[in-house]
Amino acid sequence: MDEKRVLLFNVPRKNLDPGTSFLAREPFAVESCDTAEEMVQRLDKTAYKMVILNLPAGGLEPRDIVYTLRHEKRASSKAILVVLCPDEKITEYKPYLSKGVSALFPLSAPPANLETALGAILQVAPRVETRIMVRLSAKVHQMASKHLCQVTNISRSGMFVATNLNLPSGCEVTFELLLPGQPMTVTGEARVARQTLGAGNRTNGLGLSFVSFKMDGRARLDAFLHSTDGVKR
């Protein structure tokens, strides 16, 4: 799977948290910066899939970014360019949508709506909110352990599992998904993409990216996702 690099410039975590949003899942790799100088250096060296900026900041306006990114030979000249801005700036910034800015969102946009919109732009597999059970088997420090956990959302690319299990990023686990209406479990292997520690309204858990499926597991998961009507995806 090709890595998709995303650069965040001056983006508040309350609007888009790279640790809990889809950006924490493979194949995304997120970098952040807060100064214009550092941002330009990064745009020179790295071919980002998407650049998300909170403007105005550091004396920068959309016209500066469009010129810097689109009209100079930089590694990220073809990146998807997303601008967040105060609500009162939306009308002023709208003309730049025809001059190189790919998408424009007000800072008042609910984080869930912003994440959904960005996911659509990047063609991220939609997630289904659910409450199904999964058995995880992990081997850490030469010790194997099995755990029964609850999946809170799932997509073709991975799932979030509510658990106090502490596993490092990159750790591989085997899973057995107990999908409703299916007599056999969907089994395979997944990799830990992130760990979330409960704070505020967050749930302790693990973000897992699917690595492989046994037998017809992929097809049966697809069928489950396709048949889940009426659920926000």
Side-chain angles (χ1 to χ4, degrees):
M1 185 180 293
D2 292 336
E3 187 176 64
K4 295 181 180 179
R5 306 195 71 82
V6 177
L7 179 63
L8 306 182
F9 174 71
N10 193 40
V11 176
R13 283 185 174 271
K14 65 180 181 179
N15 293 91
L16 182 65
D17 188 340
T20 59
S21 68
F22 70 85
L23 293 174
R25 296 151 50 190
E26 292 184 343
F28 298 102
V30 180
E31 299 175 14
S32 300
C33 64
D34 299 313
T35 68
E37 182 180 1
E38 183 181 1
M39 179 186 66
V40 172
Q41 290 176 351
R42 289 176 182 268
L43 296 177
D44 270 336
K45 298 177 181 179
T46 305
Y48 292 101
K49 178 68 175 179
M50 175 179 277
V51 179
I52 306 174
L53 312 102
N54 175 27
L55 298 176
L60 295 177
E61 296 280 354
R63 62 177 178 273
D64 305 307
I65 302 302
V66 168
Y67 179 81
T68 298
L69 194 62
R70 301 299 191 207
H71 301 299
E72 296 185 10
K73 294 182 179 179
R74 301 188 185 277
S76 292
S77 61
K78 295 183 179 180
I80 298 167
L81 182 58
V82 176
V83 172
L84 309 181
C85 69
D87 292 40
E88 63 271 17
K89 287 282 188 177
I90 287 290
T91 300
E92 178 185 340
Y93 286 178
K94 270 187 177 180
Y96 291 99
L97 289 172
S98 61
K99 298 178 181 179
V101 171
S102 308
L104 177 65
F105 299 99
L107 286 171
S108 63
N113 292 4
L114 177 61
E115 183 179 347
T116 297
L118 294 176
I121 294 172
L122 287 166
Q123 298 182 333
V124 175
R127 291 183 289 179
V128 170
E129 294 179 3
T130 185
R131 294 292 184 272
I132 58 179
M133 303 307 294
V134 62
R135 293 190 186 96
L136 297 181
S137 178
K139 190 174 183 180
V140 182
H141 304 308
Q142 307 304 315
M143 297 289 290
S145 59
K146 292 186 178 182
H147 304 266
L148 184 63
C149 313
Q150 187 178 65
V151 177
T152 59
N153 64 64
I154 189 170
S155 73
R156 289 195 84 247
S157 61
M159 57 186 168
F160 184 82
V161 178
T163 178
N164 290 321
L165 184 61
N166 185 6
L167 295 176
S169 295
C171 177
E172 292 199 353
V173 301
T174 59
F175 65 84
E176 296 178 64
L177 272 171
L178 307 172
L179 296 179
Q182 297 196 14
M184 296 177 59
T185 59
V186 170
T187 61
E189 295 184 343
R191 182 180 297 112
V192 177
R194 72 183 191 279
Q195 181 173 12
T196 300
L197 299 178
N201 294 324
R202 296 183 186 175
T203 301
N204 281 8
L206 298 171
L208 303 175
S209 297
F210 294 130
V211 174
S212 64
F213 290 83
K214 292 183 178 179
M215 305 292 288
D216 61 347
R218 165 61 78 188
R220 290 198 288 127
L221 174 61
D222 285 348
F224 167 73
L225 294 174
H226 182 72
S227 65
T228 309
D229 297 327
V231 180
K232 185 178 179 181
R233 302 170 67 127

